[in-house]
Amino acid sequence: MENTLIESTAPVYTLSTTSTLSGIPVHSIRQYIDKGLIIPFKKESNRNLFSQVDILRLKYINNLLNEDGLNIAGIRALLALIPCWAITECSLAERETCQAYHSDAYPCWEASEKGTLCKNTNCRECEVYRIVENYPDIKSFLKTLIP
Ligand code: SF4
């Protein structure tokens, strides 16, 4: 079980392989990266790599676009509604200096001015970023906070 988990999060696929495995064109994946919908693993060479979990995330994004009728801005706004401050338990003082807390236009990992808790955290590994991987949709996650 543990090995399966490690394998599923291991960044081993190139952009082109990820495109083949997900059925999503390379240019679309590049757009999702540019718009902050997915954070690829960066090799030292600056090359992007993806895991099996990343492929599921790409498919989730693609479904929001093609089946639910959202556009990229709508998905960014949806991800902005994840209450990162409640999950990371930021203090009131930290929230005041964090762009992510104030913006409803982009996900917290896209904020350029983050609170002290987040400044040194790898967002790709963060529980907040990974919510869409661990719940079927954002509302399911919100129900765990507010039953
Ligand atoms: S570490 Fe990154 S993903 Fe996690 S709450 Fe902070 S900004 Fe968001």
Side-chain angles (χ1 to χ4, degrees), residues 84 88 100 108-110 114 117-118 121-123 126-129:
C84 59
T88 55
C108 60
W109 53 89
E110 283 278 283
K114 294 176 188 160
L117 276 176
C118 294
T121 302
N122 178 359
C123 294
C126 176
E127 185 187 353
V128 176
Y129 171 76

Side-chain angles (χ1 to χ4, degrees), residues 10-15 18 39-43 46-51 54 124:
V12 291
Y13 302 121
T14 62
L15 179 59
T18 300
I39 305 170
F41 177 84
K42 285 251 182 237
K43 277 185 77 172
N46 218 29
R47 204 166 171 203
N48 293 327
L49 288 180
F50 302 84
S51 66
D54 289 324
R124 187 178 151 81

